[in-house]
Amino acid sequence: MRKDLSLIRRLEKIEKELGYCQIKLEKEHRLATRVHFLRAHRDQMREALTSYPETDSNSHNSLGGIAFLEISRRMMEDESSFSYEDIRLSFIALGMRPEIGQELELLDTDISDTTEKLSTFRVFHDKIAGLQSERAQALSSFILEEGEPVLEISENFEATESRWNVLTEDLTNLDDALFCVQRANDYLSSARNFVLQARSHYSVQQWLESGYLVDLFKHSLIGRIKEMLEGAERNLKTALGELICLNDEDYDLFEFSDFAPILLPFYKQLFGDVFKQTKFQDVLSLVEERLDRSERLHKRLEEARENVFSSQMEQESARENLFHQIGEERRKLRLSN
């Protein structure tokens, strides 16, 4: 009997270690997915950078050789002969190029760090192979006949544990995504407050007369709006990176439009608001629309998180029950020698 108990304890220890290794492999799979996502996003950013021409923003208060006041006058009077598309592209490029450059640096760092972390999981593949061999050797000490209850219970246990591992990692991804989306909401709410302040306190006319683009983008309330939108976009992209790592099941959590770029439409709307002097109405509409969308996304994620948590707790209960059943059935087995 002592020999039986010793083998059973050994098997239980092996299976607990196998369970731990399986959790690590599930995490490895998700990190690999994240690296793939980050590299694809970096490629998109590099391609986008080539779309924006390099322009000097500090030389004078003009674009395309036309003074800001003159651009504003022509746009407000809606001169049919005035084509401002090239001017608007220069305006957007001056805002977007630094943003893309900074994001590329962050992506390179994130890819490097995640790839390095991913490499530490390789050891678990060898460890699992060794544990499986050790388990097979231990099981060979028992007489196992076809139809033995312990065999069916073991199969159920492995399926249940695998499901539990998936749900546990889903829960981690959802928690991290929820945190990032909430931060995005905070940034968007702050951006909205700064837009409202700019509507009553920022003198567009004065900027048109004597300001530079660097003043608009960095040293003003508009700069604060841009910083808040930058933070929101960064957090939404991080949240998307977590959500794409979820299991293949369709949680029906989001649409990719929930994570659409914010800074690019911001610069497009800002161009019209500034030169048509519309009190930042278009920028306000953009911020409010994205805030509303992000808040609805957060609510859906919270509901999904509760569902996943409930499923995980059910699986954990079933997992513990099956583990005890395996132990009881093994105690009934006879040794082969």
Side-chain angles (χ1 to χ4, degrees):
M1 185 65 174
R2 184 173 299 172
K3 187 174 183 181
D4 291 57
L5 291 175
S6 176
L7 279 170
I8 290 168
R9 290 194 186 103
R10 180 182 168 196
L11 278 166
E12 289 177 347
K13 181 180 178 183
I14 291 170
E15 283 162 350
K16 285 181 179 178
E17 290 184 19
L18 276 170
Y20 173 76
C21 290
Q22 292 294 346
I23 291 174
K24 291 296 184 179
L25 292 190
E26 182 66 32
K27 191 176 290 292
E28 178 194 40
H29 169 69
R30 294 175 190 238
L31 283 174
T33 300
R34 178 171 174 76
V35 169
H36 179 74
F37 167 77
L38 291 172
R39 286 174 175 164
H41 181 49
R42 182 178 61 183
D43 290 343
Q44 290 178 340
M45 289 295 97
R46 285 173 175 170
E47 184 177 352
L49 189 61
T50 63
S51 303
Y52 302 113
E54 294 190 48
T55 308
D56 183 11
S57 64
N58 298 307
S59 57
H60 39 64
N61 64 333
S62 65
L63 278 170
I66 305 176
F68 291 161
L69 273 174
E70 181 62 15
I71 295 171
S72 178
R73 184 191 68 78
R74 293 188 186 184
M75 288 182 65
M76 291 177 70
E77 293 178 0
D78 197 23
E79 291 188 7
S80 58
S81 62
F82 178 55
S83 176
Y84 57 83
E85 287 305 313
D86 288 343
I87 292 174
R88 186 173 76 155
L89 179 59
S90 295
F91 181 89
I92 294 170
L94 286 165
M96 289 298 297
R97 284 190 66 87
E99 304 294 342
I100 294 175
Q102 291 174 16
E103 183 166 4
L104 283 171
E105 290 180 7
L106 291 173
L107 283 168
D108 284 336
T109 300
D110 199 356
I111 290 170
S112 177
D113 291 346
T114 308
T115 302
E116 184 177 350
K117 186 185 298 182
L118 190 59
S119 68
T120 65
F121 288 82
R122 293 173 187 163
V123 65
F124 293 102
H125 291 274
D126 294 334
K127 188 172 180 62
I128 281 179
L131 288 168
Q132 288 174 335
S133 176
E134 191 177 346
R135 181 175 65 176
Q137 183 179 0
L139 285 171
S140 68
S141 300
F142 293 102
I143 299 174
L144 293 173
E145 300 176 353
E146 188 175 349
E148 197 77 59
V150 71
L151 297 177
E152 182 179 354
I153 296 171
S154 294
E155 289 181 5
N156 291 338
F157 175 77
E158 289 181 7
T160 299
E161 184 170 47
S162 176
R163 176 69 178 149
W164 179 81
N165 288 340
V166 168
L167 289 169
T168 299
E169 289 303 313
D170 281 350
L171 203 58
T172 299
N173 290 131
L174 282 167
D175 281 340
D176 290 344
L178 271 167
F179 175 78
C180 291
V181 173
Q182 182 56 60
R183 283 180 62 88
N185 290 345
D186 293 340
Y187 276 116
L188 288 167
S189 181
S190 295
R192 182 180 183 278
N193 291 335
F194 282 122
V195 176
L196 293 175
Q197 289 181 45
R199 282 168 62 84
S200 58
H201 292 89
Y202 187 76
S203 174
V204 172
Q205 182 65 31
Q206 183 178 346
W207 177 79
L208 289 170
E209 292 173 357
S210 59
Y212 295 94
L213 283 173
V214 68
D215 299 326
L216 184 72
F217 291 158
K218 292 186 178 181
H219 310 306
S220 68
L221 282 169
I222 311 307
R224 297 294 290 144
I225 296 168
K226 186 264 294 183
E227 289 173 10
M228 296 302 102
L229 296 182
E230 181 183 18
E233 183 168 308
R234 182 174 61 251
N235 275 277
L236 285 172
K237 286 178 179 177
T238 303
L240 178 59
E242 295 293 335
L243 293 175
I244 62 160
C245 293
L246 290 174
N247 188 41
D248 290 338
E249 290 186 21
D250 182 13
Y251 289 115
D252 193 25
L253 298 178
F254 62 89
E255 299 175 358
F256 282 103
S257 56
D258 292 332
F259 304 92
I262 302 175
L263 287 172
L264 178 55
F266 162 69
Y267 285 115
K268 288 180 178 179
Q269 303 295 2
L270 181 63
F271 178 82
D273 277 344
V274 167
F275 290 105
K276 291 183 178 180
Q277 302 188 45
T278 55
K279 291 286 186 180
F280 306 108
Q281 183 58 49
D282 289 342
V283 169
L284 179 61
S285 296
L286 169 68
V287 172
E288 289 183 334
E289 188 275 330
R290 291 309 301 266
L291 177 58
D292 180 64
R293 179 180 286 275
S294 188
E295 287 177 339
R296 284 187 276 114
L297 172 63
H298 190 272
K299 184 177 180 179
R300 292 198 304 275
L301 292 180
E302 281 187 320
E303 292 171 352
R305 198 263 180 203
E306 287 303 310
N307 292 333
V308 173
F309 178 71
S310 297
S311 297
Q312 191 237 21
M313 292 303 293
E314 290 175 5
Q315 290 294 315
E316 184 165 345
S317 177
R319 177 172 170 263
E320 290 294 325
N321 184 45
L322 287 170
F323 192 80
H324 289 309
Q325 288 183 43
I326 292 173
E328 292 173 2
E329 290 298 327
R330 282 178 179 159
R331 284 167 175 79
K332 299 175 185 178
L333 296 175
R334 291 175 293 123
L335 292 172
S336 59
N337 52 47

